[in-house]
Amino acid sequence: MAKKQDSKQVKNISQQLKQQTAHVDEKGVFVFQEPLTIAQLANALNISIVDIIKYFMKHGKMYNQNQLLNEELMAEVCLEFGFDFKKTKNVTYENILETVEFDDKPENLLPRPPVVTIMGHVDHGKTTLLDTIRNSNVTKQEHGGITQHIGAYQVRTKEGKKITFIDTPGHEAFTEMRARGSKITDIVILVVAADDGVMPQTKEAIDHAKAANVEIIVFVNKIDKPGINKDKVLSELSNFGLTSEEWGGDTIFVYGSALKHQGIDELLEAILLVADVKELKANPNRFANGTVIESHYDKNIGSVCTLLVQGGTLNVKDIIVAGAIKGKIKKMTSDLGKDVKQATPSAVIQVLGFESAPTPGELFMVFNDEKIAKKVASARQQDEQLKKQISLGNIAQEASSGELKQINIILKADTQGSLQALIQALTKIKVKDIQVKLIRAGVGGITESDVTLAVASNSVIYGFNVRPNHIVRDAAQDAKIEIRLHNVIYKLTEELENAAKGLLAPEYEEKVLGQARVVRLFHYSKVGTIAGCLVIDGMITRNSKVRILRNDIVIYSGEINSLKHEKEDLKSVKKGFECGITVKNYNDLKEDDIIEAYIIEEVKNNG
């Protein structure tokens, strides 16, 4: 890279690290990072404070210049006064690997090879397919130089086009990289044995790929075996939304035998076809960035790390940060064992030069400025230490053996006080060789976003005095995500500690029957408040327990006093029907409250 361009990119990084303030850019777009007061917004837009206050008065809002405006209100003002708007995130030393903006204008982008991950059920031929593809596309001269444990490699097709394959150890590793924000895979090859069909790990692979929003190509393996029922496989996969083109769907199916080298060329052609449609491109003419595929420490040569370059060009002597680990590239080796000086987008490369072994799945970025790289690594190390204080990471030290078990938790609570108390309680759990990691902790109801994160990070969701609505509950059920609900702190921590010890055996289990939305209220002095409701999910039964939810937060728990339609007493009301509900000892209902009915069932112990 030319010194002039090198200097330009260092300057670009330095500018982004400076404190950003709300401003109107050269295109007339108002750029902001956080809520502003009316006075601050007026100053940034160079318009009168009085004019903004008048605008709100005209819409029935009596604000003064110190009124803090949320994103929606700021957008209203921008549109009123002729500005477009865009929210950005401050680039800091702690988050620069995730937030930096590269100079990747359309005119700077060039085609890059697709990055492919092969997934499937055990014994369906995933490893055989990987070996067959690799060995079929390597010359005899190159074969001896293959690095067996690099974790990723490139092949060149008969047409001379490259494809990068990532050899992840399991589906969890695939989604763990996704959870870290590393969008490493363009296409997933789902291997399904023709004589076995859809199996448990097949379903897991589909869930992981769909959660990551990755294109899926199905390779039906072992098609050469006698008595194969191809339609059975097609039918089973169609139940998971993977319908073949021959059945009128849009999923590409390739049939072959990895063991006998059948269908390999067709599979590679299918990969290139999908890649062409996706128009995969990257900018090779800048500092490199990408993802750590794997790493280990060798006592003879130091930290050995395999990197996937996703943008830019990686060079020997580059100054680099991966996660919180700094380094300077001393040597680069291709998957064929050859020393190379450069690695372009979609290349996988083994490097020497990191001060210690970075964690697989971490992002990396070249800085070529020793001072900035040191500050970034130091800030990210401190940030990781702060996270460890609330993540139970001290329960077990990092184990190079890979046998360390981990329980990932997403925690949602009704108030900030409850949340802090729970975090403190969780940090006191000490279980040998088990790590309980807090992936997310926040105040408010359990959302679809929490479920999505749970899928990506393989987490259990815990709710304290909050409940998922029926949409979120259905999403969690579809994604096979467990949601555990509590209203007593020690019971939550006790359950989690017992789970970590392998002693979890609950005697009772809560079963949600249904939810009703309060549509209208009727107040009678003798009866109290009658909630006119519409059942929106499941059913409400007369003898069930109930809790009142307001904005998905539990504000009261009790029992139904009466369940009626007009004057008729009812035993139950199903989804889509209206009813009147009174709750024992509770009259402070409001419209749009949710009345959730549930029962406590005894769990049979089969042990």
Side-chain angles (χ1 to χ4, degrees):
M1 188 181 292
K3 286 187 177 181
K4 185 176 180 181
Q5 190 172 1
D6 214 43
S7 175
K8 179 182 176 183
Q9 293 188 194
V10 170
K11 184 178 179 181
N12 177 43
I13 291 170
S14 300
Q15 286 176 341
Q16 290 188 55
L17 282 166
K18 291 179 181 178
Q19 183 64 38
Q20 298 179 33
T21 56
H23 65 283
V24 177
D25 67 14
E26 65 277 4
K27 296 180 181 178
V29 177
F30 174 62
V31 181
F32 65 97
Q33 295 82 36
E34 57 191 1
L36 301 175
T37 64
I38 286 179
Q40 291 170 329
L41 181 59
N43 181 61
L45 294 176
N46 195 26
I47 59 178
S48 166
I49 294 174
V50 174
D51 287 344
I52 296 179
I53 292 174
K54 282 181 178 179
Y55 166 77
F56 284 120
M57 286 177 64
K58 188 169 67 175
H59 291 79
K61 296 183 176 76
M62 303 301 293
Y63 293 160
N64 61 35
Q65 66 175 3
N66 297 318
Q67 174 68 43
L68 191 66
L69 303 178
N70 60 26
E71 184 177 342
E72 185 178 342
L73 293 175
M74 289 167 64
E76 279 186 33
V77 174
C78 287
L79 294 175
E80 173 68 16
F81 292 93
F83 295 94
D84 201 351
F85 57 92
K86 179 176 74 172
K87 185 177 182 179
T88 61
K89 188 173 183 179
N90 274 336
V91 177
T92 65
Y93 288 105
E94 291 84 359
N95 69 17
I96 188 169
L97 300 188
E98 295 81 13
T99 59
V100 69
E101 292 186 6
F102 296 104
D103 186 23
D104 287 344
K105 298 173 184 176
E107 58 268 27
N108 296 330
L109 302 180
L110 296 176
R112 65 168 176 82
V115 179
V116 179
T117 298
I118 298 183
M119 303 170 74
H121 189 73
V122 64
D123 295 331
H124 276 202
K126 168 182 169 287
T127 303
T128 304
L129 179 60
L130 282 164
D131 291 343
T132 299
I133 291 173
R134 193 177 196 189
N135 295 331
S136 298
N137 288 271
V138 174
T139 66
K140 290 182 180 179
Q141 291 80 8
E142 292 173 328
H143 202 281
I146 290 179
T147 306
Q148 293 297 332
H149 302 291
I150 195 167
Y153 54 88
Q154 273 192 343
V155 301
R156 192 183 294 271
T157 67
K158 292 177 180 178
E159 297 80 13
K161 294 187 177 182
K162 294 179 180 179
I163 301 174
T164 299
F165 286 91
I166 304 295
D167 185 9
T168 58
H171 308 144
E172 290 76 12
F174 175 79
T175 48
E176 177 62 22
M177 290 183 179
R178 288 282 175 178
R180 291 174 180 270
S182 312
K183 296 183 178 180
I184 65 165
T185 303
D186 302 307
I187 302 167
V188 162
I189 304 301
L190 179 68
V191 180
V192 183
D195 62 340
D196 213 3
V198 173
M199 299 297 284
Q201 280 184 290
T202 314
K203 298 174 186 177
E204 287 180 20
I206 294 169
D207 289 340
H208 292 314
K210 285 189 173 181
N213 196 28
V214 178
E215 194 82 31
I216 299 174
I217 296 174
V218 176
F219 182 75
V220 182
N221 194 25
K222 306 182 183 181
I223 201 70
D224 56 310
K225 285 197 170 185
I228 292 301
N229 185 351
K230 186 177 79 171
D231 286 346
K232 177 177 177 290
V233 178
L234 292 173
S235 177
E236 289 178 344
L237 287 169
S238 68
N239 292 329
F240 294 91
L242 299 179
T243 305
S244 70
E245 293 174 320
E246 59 192 289
W247 277 25
D250 56 6
T251 302
I252 297 176
F253 277 59
V254 178
Y255 306 93
S257 168
L259 192 62
K260 296 186 177 180
H261 293 220
Q262 295 176 6
I264 303 302
D265 288 342
E266 290 82 355
L267 180 60
L268 298 180
E269 287 174 11
I271 292 170
L272 293 176
L273 175 64
V274 172
D276 286 342
V277 172
K278 292 173 75 72
E279 294 185 337
L280 303 171
K281 294 182 179 182
N283 178 8
N285 298 311
R286 61 163 172 80
F287 290 161
N289 73 297
T291 300
V292 178
I293 300 299
E294 64 176 34
S295 65
H296 66 276
Y297 184 79
D298 186 308
K299 63 180 181 180
N300 296 316
I301 55 177
S303 296
V304 182
C305 185
T306 302
L307 306 178
L308 168 67
V309 180
Q310 293 172 275
T313 296
L314 188 65
N315 300 277
V316 173
K317 297 184 180 180
D318 275 348
I319 298 170
I320 188 172
V321 174
I325 309 300
K326 184 174 72 69
K328 184 173 183 178
I329 305 298
K330 297 177 181 177
K331 182 180 179 181
M332 300 201 305
T333 309
S334 74
D335 61 321
L336 297 173
K338 295 180 179 179
D339 288 352
V340 294
K341 298 293 184 183
Q342 290 188 327
T344 53
S346 294
V348 286
I349 203 78
Q350 198 173 74
V351 304
L352 300 181
F354 279 102
E355 294 173 355
S356 60
T359 304
E362 292 280 15
L363 300 177
F364 78 80
M365 178 177 158
V366 169
F367 289 91
N368 282 354
D369 183 292
E370 188 74 35
K371 289 182 179 179
I372 293 178
K374 275 185 178 180
K375 285 184 178 180
V376 169
S378 176
R380 290 178 70 89
Q381 285 171 7
Q382 291 176 16
D383 195 44
E384 284 187 1
Q385 289 301 317
L386 287 172
K387 288 177 181 177
K388 283 184 179 180
Q389 291 175 13
I390 64 167
S391 71
L392 308 185
N394 295 328
I395 289 179
Q397 299 297 322
E398 291 182 7
S400 59
S401 64
E403 295 179 355
L404 180 66
K405 295 177 182 177
Q406 180 171 294
I407 299 176
N408 292 339
I409 299 297
I410 293 172
L411 176 63
K412 300 300 286 288
D414 55 343
T415 67
Q416 192 67 39
S418 297
L419 185 68
Q420 293 304 316
L422 282 162
I423 290 173
Q424 288 180 6
L426 288 172
T427 58
K428 294 176 182 177
I429 296 177
K430 304 291 180 183
V431 180
K432 185 181 179 182
D433 295 330
I434 299 293
Q435 184 182 28
V436 181
K437 186 175 182 182
L438 201 59
I439 302 294
R440 171 185 286 173
V443 173
I446 298 168
T447 65
E448 288 183 88
S449 172
D450 296 323
V451 174
T452 301
L453 179 58
V455 171
S457 57
N458 199 23
S459 299
V460 175
I461 299 175
Y462 268 91
F464 183 81
N465 269 343
V466 298
R467 291 295 184 275
N469 61 38
H470 67 283
I471 296 173
V472 174
R473 194 165 59 243
D474 289 345
Q477 188 174 356
D478 291 343
K480 297 180 176 59
I481 293 299
E482 185 175 16
I483 299 179
R484 311 289 295 185
L485 305 170
H486 288 274
N487 56 11
V488 179
I489 290 178
Y490 85 86
K491 287 187 176 180
L492 186 155
T493 54
E494 184 181 67
E495 176 185 271
L496 190 53
E497 186 168 1
N498 285 338
K501 292 176 179 177
L503 302 174
L504 186 62
E507 296 179 357
Y508 296 93
E509 185 178 79
E510 177 186 295
K511 180 180 179 182
V512 175
L513 299 177
Q515 291 184 335
R517 175 178 286 113
V518 178
V519 179
R520 191 175 176 186
L521 298 169
F522 305 90
H523 303 282
Y524 296 94
S525 57
K526 292 183 179 180
V527 181
T529 301
I530 300 174
C533 299
L534 174 67
V535 181
I536 58 174
D537 182 56
M539 68 164 61
I540 308 295
T541 63
R542 170 69 182 80
N543 61 351
S544 59
K545 296 178 179 294
V546 293
R547 56 176 67 91
I548 312 301
L549 309 180
R550 191 168 294 158
N551 297 323
D552 294 331
I553 294 175
V554 180
I555 59 173
Y556 182 79
S557 296
E559 298 176 3
I560 288 179
N561 192 44
S562 66
L563 180 65
K564 295 185 177 184
H565 179 68
E566 296 181 351
K567 294 183 179 181
E568 181 184 0
D569 287 317
L570 302 173
K571 289 185 178 180
S572 64
V573 183
K574 294 182 178 180
K575 179 181 177 180
F577 290 88
E578 296 177 342
C579 60
I581 299 175
T582 60
V583 179
K584 282 185 181 179
N585 304 319
Y586 191 78
N587 291 309
D588 191 27
L589 287 157
K590 298 186 184 299
E591 290 184 5
D592 291 326
D593 280 352
I594 299 296
I595 299 176
E596 184 176 80
Y598 67 100
I599 57 175
I600 304 296
E601 291 184 326
E602 185 174 354
V603 178
K604 294 181 180 179
N605 191 334
N606 297 321

